[in-house]
Amino acid sequence: MLAIIFKTDETTFSISGSFIQEIVGMIKIDYFKSEDNKVDAIINYKGKNIPTIDICKLLNKKRKIYNTENIIIIVNYYGQEIAILADDVLDKIEIETNEIKAFETITSEYLPAFFDFEEKVIPLLNIKKIALDIKEDLEKEKT
């Protein structure tokens, strides 16, 4: 599996490369109030409004302030596009599925697994859970 390793707010995460549509420079982000705080921003990318998430905020941390030096990772999970705010992409690596291990101490549904890379533990984002929660959140907003 191709894994993209990225950093946001001094924390390193990874995502399966098979879901990444594109990595782009920072563009204008429109913030709005959200009841459950999963999605509270949107970007207009190539004429489409894409829900945008800050991983720090999603994991119940303080929202990070992003600037023009940061990036956006555009993800497509079976038709559900998501924009993930990040500081920078650090690396892309091939990992074997047997190298992915379940977290025993972290209970976040968004970070169920990790792998070791260069003597560091790299959490692997659960894009399926994030995409389904965002889809549910957006459907609530419509009603």
Side-chain angles (χ1 to χ4, degrees):
M1 172 184 100
L2 177 66
I4 305 301
I5 301 171
F6 66 97
K7 181 179 86 167
T8 186
D9 198 34
E10 301 306 317
T11 304
T12 304
F13 299 99
S14 65
I15 187 171
S16 170
S18 62
F19 298 116
I20 294 180
Q21 189 170 300
E22 193 170 357
I23 299 171
V24 298
M26 188 56 66
I27 58 177
K28 184 179 182 286
I29 302 170
D30 293 314
Y31 290 96
F32 57 87
K33 289 195 183 255
S34 172
E35 286 184 28
D36 62 8
N37 290 323
K38 288 184 184 118
V39 177
D40 66 350
I42 202 159
I43 61 168
N44 185 310
Y45 181 69
K46 295 185 178 179
K48 293 189 272 183
N49 289 327
I50 299 176
T52 304
I53 60 169
D54 177 346
I55 295 296
C56 295
K57 191 157 187 277
L58 188 69
L59 297 174
N60 297 319
K61 294 181 178 182
K62 188 177 176 184
R63 175 190 284 154
K64 181 178 176 346
I65 304 299
Y66 293 91
N67 61 44
T68 57
E69 309 247 329
N70 301 123
I71 61 164
I72 300 173
I73 302 170
I74 309 291
V75 175
N76 189 323
Y77 183 79
Y78 298 103
Q80 176 64 58
E81 289 182 308
I82 306 162
I84 299 173
L85 302 173
D87 289 342
D88 198 10
V89 170
L90 302 176
D91 211 336
K92 60 181 181 178
I93 62 168
E94 281 291 334
I95 57 171
E96 300 296 324
T97 53
N98 64 349
E99 295 178 81
I100 300 171
K101 304 168 196 127
F103 272 119
E104 294 178 12
T105 56
I106 296 177
T107 57
S108 171
E109 293 179 278
Y110 299 119
L111 297 171
F114 70 96
F115 58 90
D116 296 310
F117 178 68
E118 295 181 349
E119 299 181 19
K120 291 181 183 174
V121 171
I122 309 293
L124 183 61
L125 290 176
N126 182 348
I127 289 301
K128 178 180 179 181
K129 174 67 175 155
I130 294 170
L132 292 174
D133 281 0
I134 287 174
K135 185 176 183 176
E136 183 180 299
D137 199 32
L138 293 173
E139 287 172 358
K140 282 183 198 174
E141 294 289 325
K142 289 180 184 176
T143 58

